Amino acid sequence: EAQVTQNPRYLITVTGKKLTVTCSQNMNHEYMSWYRQDPGLGLRQIYYSMNVEVTDKGDVPEGYKVSRKEKRNFPLILESPSPNQTSLYFCASSLTSGGRTVDNEQFFGPGTRLTVL
Amino acid sequence: RKEVEQDPGPFNVPEGATVAFNCTYSNSASQSFFWYRQDCRKEPKLLMSVYSSGNEDGRFTAQLNRASQYISLLIRDSKLSDSATYLCVVNSASGGSNYKLTFGKGTLLTVNP
């Protein structure tokens, strides 16, 4: 089944304790992205990757890191989480980042609900 | 103007009603347009892509007006299962290295029996 998976789905942690949220897709998509969703603010892009070894900042990259060593994986790293990073996080992927509209459709993972105390 | 702006809602309509959502975008170079649906606490899922000629999928009709930088979604004969948040999404890419999907904040629709 074509899908985007994220782990963990739920995480409660404490300030300053490094964590990684994994994201994996099995559709051979070039483009992957991380978003956070907060009430009243909608979905905001954190980082994105056009392809392997190519990553760039989105709208709210502060406090986050990413890597894209393999096409299928795009982990999100919080080196020193803080309470303002408490949020619902989504990973997404699409076939490409340009060209036909149909190729830009983003498929989302199920989300990771993170609470930082 | 905000990059992508939607009706704030919420919309409460009875079953069978027709409801329309509007969305404006600020970047005239935007190339791809979508409507996504998001159920409470779930991931967004593509409802429809929006093409210049307008497109229809069953009870759903999407329209694009590039001159006015405006997108719409019409739902006819609404069902209880249409209750969700509807997100307007715009690809604001101006080149292969500048791809960006921008999401509107969404409009909550509740269809009542």
Side-chain angles (χ1 to χ4, degrees):
Chain A
E1 181 190 353
Q3 60 183 347
V4 179
T5 57
Q6 291 179 231
N7 281 292
R9 294 288 312 281
Y10 303 91
L11 179 60
I12 300 174
T13 189
V14 295
T15 298
K17 186 176 180 183
K18 180 179 177 179
L19 67 92
T20 299
V21 184
T22 64
C23 172
S24 183
Q25 50 90 8
N26 62 0
M27 297 171 277
N28 201 35
H29 283 173
E30 289 183 352
Y31 182 90
M32 297 186 74
S33 182
W34 275 103
Y35 300 89
R36 61 177 289 173
Q37 187 172 36
D38 303 288
L41 297 177
L43 275 160
R44 294 179 293 167
Q45 190 178 51
I46 302 170
Y47 268 95
Y48 64 93
S49 169
M50 306 278 281
N51 213 326
V52 176
E53 301 293 1
V54 181
T55 63
D56 210 344
K57 296 177 181 178
D59 296 316
V60 288
E62 294 77 21
Y64 304 94
K65 285 173 59 176
V66 293
S67 68
R68 187 92 182 271
K69 296 188 172 67
E70 305 163 286
K71 199 170 189 178
R72 62 183 293 128
N73 296 323
F74 190 45
L76 179 70
I77 302 156
L78 285 72
E79 294 271 3
S80 183
S82 62
N84 65 12
Q85 292 178 299
T86 293
S87 187
L88 177 59
Y89 291 86
F90 289 106
C91 179
S93 72
S94 63
L95 185 62
T96 67
S97 57
R100 302 184 306 166
T101 294
V102 67
D103 295 336
N104 298 166
E105 175 192 346
Q106 292 216 336
F107 293 82
F108 283 80
T112 295
R113 191 166 290 279
L114 173 66
T115 301
V116 183
L117 302 174
Chain B
R1 182 193 263 184
K2 291 181 186 173
E3 285 192 73
V4 178
E5 197 158 5
Q6 294 184 240
D7 288 338
F11 284 28
N12 286 281
V13 303
E15 265 187 295
T18 295
V19 59
F21 300 129
N22 301 316
C23 174
T24 57
Y25 60 96
S26 60
N27 185 346
S28 59
S30 299
Q31 299 174 352
S32 305
F33 308 89
F34 309 90
W35 283 101
Y36 276 72
R37 170 198 167 121
Q38 185 175 25
D39 294 295
C40 187
R41 296 176 180 269
K42 296 281 185 71
E43 71 272 26
K45 292 185 179 179
L46 181 71
L47 178 66
M48 329 180 46
S49 300
V50 187
Y51 298 101
S52 296
S53 54
N55 44 302
E56 189 173 308
D57 182 3
R59 298 181 293 109
F60 299 85
T61 301
Q63 302 236 314
L64 168 64
N65 183 324
R66 285 188 185 271
S68 302
Q69 295 178 205
Y70 169 92
I71 307 157
S72 66
L73 175 68
L74 186 75
I75 305 176
R76 290 181 299 279
D77 188 24
S78 52
K79 312 289 184 192
L80 296 177
S81 56
D82 294 334
S83 297
T85 296
Y86 290 83
L87 303 168
C88 173
V89 185
V90 176
N91 171 1
S92 304
S94 58
S97 62
N98 193 28
Y99 175 72
K100 180 180 180 184
L101 270 191
T102 302
F103 287 75
K105 291 184 181 178
T107 304
L108 177 63
L109 171 67
T110 302
V111 180
N112 301 302

